[in-house]
Every structure is written in C-alpha cells, then in structure tokens.
Amino acid sequence: MRNMISGCKRWICLAWLCLIPLPGNAATPMIAAGSSDSLFLNADGSVWGTGNVTNYDLGATSPVRVLQLPNVAAVATAMGANFALLADGTLWGSGENGYGQMGDGTTQYRSQPQQVPGLSIIKAVSPSYHVLALKDDGTVWSWGRNHSG
C-alpha cells in the first residue's frame, strides 16, 4: 500500500507540473499521461491522443487528433477525463464523466469538449476521479468524486 500511495503522489505532482503553461504566444509542446491514455500538445496547438482518449474503449494505439480547440495552452488527462486549458484561461473537458469530472452537474460521457461552467482564468488543472483547478487569484476549486471527503 505504501508504494502505491507514494507512486500516486509522484503522478499527481507530475500532472500538476505538466500543466503550468510557459510564457509565449505559441503552445509549448507537452505530454499528459493518464492510467490508460495520453495527450500530446504540439507546438502548433493541436492535441493528439492515444488510449482511451479517443472514444470510450477504442484504445487507439497510434495518435489521433483530439480536443480540437483553438489556442490550447496546456492539456491534462486522468481516468479517461481529458482537459484542455486555453490561452484565455477557460477550461474545456471531454471523455469520462461518471463521477462528475466535467463539472456540469451530469455524469454523461462527453465525446466533444465542453467548457467547464462557472470558471475563468484557470492557471492549472489536475484531474482524477475529481478535478482540482487553480485560478489566477490563488483559489483552488474542486468537483467530481468525493468518496473520502
């Protein structure tokens, strides 16, 4: 159990660090890895994925273009939920939503990205069965699964 918790802490830290966008107008290439999926943000702003990010359990083994949004600054993925942080600070999500990870009050799978309602000027995001988002004012917002309080 101790190794699993230690490994989880490293993964959460890695996901958090990957989501801090670097200054500049062009997207900074980055990788976000989940338990069964991965996202890749190219310098041209396009987002590519493998694994479960493409459509439920199809499990793409070659990268396919996903999260087709303009001005993507950072990406994050975990537990089949995929997020794009846009340069304007809005947060968009798609994929698994069984625990309310999309923040829209539903648990329906999202095949197309939708803006997470009620949030703006997000600086970083860390998804799991629940999601944490850091706003520019330093406040942290969370939603999704809350089985441990």
Side-chain angles (χ1 to χ4, degrees), residues 50-70:
T50 60
N52 290 345
V53 300
T54 57
N55 187 10
Y56 269 83
D57 299 312
L58 291 181
T61 56
S62 297
V64 295
R65 186 143 187 211
V66 295
L67 296 174
Q68 296 188 23
L69 295 165

Side-chain angles (χ1 to χ4, degrees), residues 5-103:
I5 292 171
S6 175
C8 185
K9 287 180 183 176
R10 281 192 300 269
W11 179 84
I12 291 170
C13 290
L14 175 62
W16 189 263
L17 290 173
C18 284
L19 296 174
I20 299 173
L22 300 175
N25 293 335
T28 301
M30 67 183 310
I31 298 171
S35 59
S36 60
D37 45 19
S38 298
L39 293 176
F40 312 94
L41 175 60
N42 281 335
D44 67 3
S46 63
V47 181
W48 296 77
T50 60
N52 290 345
V53 300
T54 57
N55 187 10
Y56 269 83
D57 299 312
L58 291 181
T61 56
S62 297
V64 295
R65 186 143 187 211
V66 295
L67 296 174
Q68 296 188 23
L69 295 165
N71 303 312
V72 176
V75 292
T77 185
M79 310 305 172
N82 311 299
F83 292 91
L85 179 59
L86 302 190
D88 66 3
T90 58
L91 183 62
W92 294 69
S94 68
E96 292 296 331
N97 189 30
Y99 297 103
Q101 299 98 306
M102 296 301 131

